[in-house]
Amino acid sequence: MDTSSSTPIRVVIIDDQDMVRAGFGALLGAQSDIEVVGDAADGAEAVELVRAVDPDVVLMDIRMPRLDGLAAARQIAQLEDHAPRIIMLTTFDLDDYVFEALRAGASGFLLKDARVEDLTHAVRVVAAGEALLSPSITRSLIAEFVARPERTHEPVTLADLTERELDVMRQVARGLSNGEIAGELFVAEQTVKTHVSRILAKLGLRDRAQIVVAAYEAGVVSAGS
C-alpha cells in the first residue's frame, strides 16, 4: 500500500460508539495526508469493510458487539489481499486485552482519550510500517502480560538469529526507532533496517510489535530491563 506523502493514508474507524467514530473521523479527516474511507460499529462489519475499501490503517475498539476487536483483528490480519495496519483503541480498564491484541496482529494501541497529536502520529507511524510503542506504557504492559504464568504456547526459537540481530531485537523491544538503534549500536540506519527485516523473516513475524512480544516471551529482555 502506498503511504507516501502524495497519497493520503486511508483509514477506517471501528467503534460501537457513534461519538467516537464521528470525533476521530473529524480529527483525522482534517489532516491533509489522511483520508477516512469508512467506519463501522462492530467487528463483523469491520472485516467486510476492510475487504471492500482496502485501507492502510484500521482504528478499532477492543470491546464491541457481535465480533469483538480481538477476533476481528485476527481475521483482518489473515486477509491475503488486504493487509492494513491495526491500531486497537482501548481504555485503562481494558488493559488485559492489550497483549492479546498485539498477538492477534495489531501494530499497537491507543487510548481513546488520546490527544489529537497522538492520534495523528499513531496513524502515520503504523502506516509507515513501524509499531506503535509509545508511550512507554505499551512496553510495560507487554512485559507484564508476557510474564504471566498462564501462557500456554511456546515462545519463538531464536537460534537462527545472529548476535547482532539479537542486539537489534533488544533495542526494538525497548521501543527505539531505527535511527535511535543506529546511534546505540554505532551502525548506519539502513543496516538496522536490514537487521529488522531479517529478524521478521527468520521468525515469521509481521512487524515490530510482534518482535517486541517475541523478545519478552523468549527472555531476550525482561520487565524493567
Side-chain angles (χ1 to χ4, degrees):
M1 291 181 182
D2 187 351
T3 57
S4 65
S5 58
S6 60
T7 304
I9 302 167
R10 295 166 56 82
V11 178
V12 296
I13 303 167
I14 316 299
D15 196 289
D16 61 341
Q17 298 180 38
D18 294 342
M19 291 184 64
V20 172
R21 298 199 308 275
F24 276 34
L27 293 172
L28 293 173
Q31 308 300 311
S32 61
D33 60 336
I34 297 173
E35 180 184 4
V36 178
V37 294
D39 64 70
D42 63 55
E45 291 181 8
V47 177
E48 293 307 314
L49 180 62
V50 168
R51 287 194 178 105
V53 304
D54 196 18
D56 300 305
V57 177
V58 177
L59 284 173
M60 183 156 58
D61 192 13
I62 289 180
R63 180 175 291 173
M64 295 182 295
R66 288 216 295 164
L67 190 69
D68 67 26
L70 293 177
R74 293 187 188 99
Q75 291 188 27
I76 290 171
Q78 292 172 0
L79 295 176
E80 294 183 359
D81 297 329
H82 307 267
R85 301 292 177 176
I86 303 171
I87 301 173
M88 305 303 299
L89 301 173
T90 186
T91 55
F92 280 114
D93 63 323
L94 293 179
D95 282 347
D96 284 350
Y97 294 93
V98 170
F99 176 65
E100 288 305 321
L102 294 172
R103 183 188 302 288
S107 294
F109 80 101
L110 188 70
L111 298 177
K112 284 191 176 183
D113 61 356
R115 299 174 303 170
V116 176
E117 300 82 16
D118 294 332
L119 174 63
T120 54
H121 173 72
V123 169
R124 292 173 180 130
V125 164
V126 299
E130 300 286 336
L132 186 62
L133 300 177
S134 296
S136 60
I137 187 173
T138 306
R139 297 192 298 278
S140 64
L141 282 168
I142 294 171
E144 174 186 347
F145 294 118
V146 171
R148 289 185 172 187
E150 62 266 27
R151 286 182 293 124
T152 59
H153 60 279
E154 294 297 320
V156 295
T157 300
L158 307 182
D160 291 338
L161 299 187
T162 66
E163 284 300 318
R164 179 55 85 183
E165 287 165 353
L166 286 170
D167 288 340
V168 171
M169 189 178 198
R170 292 186 186 97
Q171 303 307 319
V172 171
R174 290 176 56 202
L176 300 188
S177 67
N178 287 342
E180 291 168 336
I181 295 173
E184 288 279 329
L185 301 182
F186 303 102
V187 296
E189 185 171 349
Q190 184 57 49
T191 300
V192 175
K193 291 181 180 179
T194 299
H195 285 312
V196 170
S197 296
R198 288 175 178 168
I199 293 168
L200 292 171
K202 287 182 178 181
L203 301 184
L205 303 176
R206 179 179 179 184
D207 60 19
R208 295 170 77 97
Q210 293 191 342
I211 291 179
V212 176
V213 173
Y216 279 108
E217 287 187 328
V220 174
V221 290
S222 59
S225 64

